[in-house]
Short mmCIF file of all heavy atoms in Angstrom, two decimals:
data_model
loop_
_atom_site.label_atom_id
_atom_site.label_comp_id
_atom_site.label_asym_id
_atom_site.label_seq_id
_atom_site.Cartn_x
_atom_site.Cartn_y
_atom_site.Cartn_z
N THR A 287 75.40 72.43 78.37
CA THR A 287 74.84 71.07 78.44
C THR A 287 73.54 71.10 79.24
O THR A 287 73.27 72.03 80.01
CB THR A 287 75.85 70.12 79.14
OG1 THR A 287 76.28 70.72 80.38
CG2 THR A 287 77.08 69.90 78.28
N SER A 288 72.76 70.01 79.06
CA SER A 288 71.49 69.89 79.82
C SER A 288 71.81 69.39 81.24
O SER A 288 72.89 68.90 81.51
CB SER A 288 70.59 68.90 79.11
OG SER A 288 71.12 67.61 79.16
N GLU A 289 70.79 69.51 82.09
CA GLU A 289 70.96 69.01 83.48
C GLU A 289 71.23 67.49 83.47
O GLU A 289 72.01 66.99 84.28
CB GLU A 289 69.67 69.34 84.30
CG GLU A 289 69.58 70.77 84.71
CD GLU A 289 70.75 71.20 85.63
OE1 GLU A 289 71.17 70.37 86.44
OE2 GLU A 289 71.20 72.35 85.50
N ASP A 290 70.54 66.79 82.58
CA ASP A 290 70.76 65.33 82.50
C ASP A 290 72.19 64.99 82.08
O ASP A 290 72.80 64.07 82.59
CB ASP A 290 69.77 64.70 81.49
CG ASP A 290 68.35 64.63 82.07
OD1 ASP A 290 68.18 64.80 83.30
OD2 ASP A 290 67.40 64.42 81.28
N GLU A 291 72.70 65.74 81.13
CA GLU A 291 74.09 65.54 80.67
C GLU A 291 75.09 65.82 81.77
O GLU A 291 76.09 65.14 81.96
CB GLU A 291 74.39 66.41 79.48
CG GLU A 291 73.77 65.94 78.19
CD GLU A 291 73.98 66.88 77.00
OE1 GLU A 291 73.90 68.12 77.21
OE2 GLU A 291 74.28 66.40 75.89
N ARG A 292 74.83 66.83 82.58
CA ARG A 292 75.74 67.17 83.68
C ARG A 292 75.82 66.08 84.76
O ARG A 292 76.85 65.86 85.31
CB ARG A 292 75.37 68.53 84.29
CG ARG A 292 75.51 69.69 83.30
CD ARG A 292 75.07 71.00 83.89
NE ARG A 292 74.99 72.01 82.83
CZ ARG A 292 74.75 73.32 83.04
NH1 ARG A 292 74.62 73.75 84.26
NH2 ARG A 292 74.71 74.14 82.04
N ARG A 293 74.65 65.48 84.98
CA ARG A 293 74.57 64.44 86.05
C ARG A 293 75.09 63.11 85.53
O ARG A 293 75.54 62.28 86.35
CB ARG A 293 73.13 64.31 86.54
CG ARG A 293 72.66 65.42 87.41
CD ARG A 293 71.42 65.01 88.17
NE ARG A 293 70.32 64.83 87.27
CZ ARG A 293 69.37 65.73 86.94
NH1 ARG A 293 69.44 66.91 87.51
NH2 ARG A 293 68.42 65.44 86.11
N ALA A 294 75.03 62.85 84.24
CA ALA A 294 75.36 61.54 83.70
C ALA A 294 76.84 61.35 83.52
O ALA A 294 77.57 62.32 83.21
CB ALA A 294 74.63 61.32 82.40
N ALA A 295 77.31 60.12 83.59
CA ALA A 295 78.72 59.79 83.27
C ALA A 295 78.85 59.73 81.75
O ALA A 295 78.00 59.19 81.06
CB ALA A 295 79.12 58.45 83.88
N VAL A 296 79.94 60.22 81.21
CA VAL A 296 80.12 60.23 79.77
C VAL A 296 80.53 58.80 79.27
O VAL A 296 80.34 58.47 78.12
CB VAL A 296 81.18 61.27 79.30
CG1 VAL A 296 80.73 62.65 79.64
CG2 VAL A 296 82.56 60.99 79.86
N LEU A 297 81.13 58.00 80.15
CA LEU A 297 81.59 56.67 79.76
C LEU A 297 80.97 55.60 80.64
O LEU A 297 80.87 55.80 81.87
CB LEU A 297 83.14 56.59 79.87
CG LEU A 297 83.94 57.43 78.91
CD1 LEU A 297 85.43 57.37 79.27
CD2 LEU A 297 83.75 56.95 77.47
N SER A 298 80.63 54.49 80.04
CA SER A 298 80.25 53.32 80.83
C SER A 298 81.50 52.67 81.38
O SER A 298 82.64 52.91 80.92
CB SER A 298 79.52 52.30 79.90
OG SER A 298 80.41 51.73 78.94
N ASP A 299 81.34 51.75 82.34
CA ASP A 299 82.49 51.05 82.90
C ASP A 299 83.18 50.26 81.80
O ASP A 299 84.44 50.16 81.77
CB ASP A 299 82.07 50.13 84.03
CG ASP A 299 81.78 50.90 85.31
OD1 ASP A 299 81.91 52.12 85.32
OD2 ASP A 299 81.37 50.27 86.29
#
Side-chain angles (χ1 to χ4, degrees):
T287 52
S288 68
E289 285 298 324
D290 286 345
E291 286 175 318
R292 295 177 190 188
R293 286 195 296 263
V296 299
L297 292 172
S298 68
D299 285 358

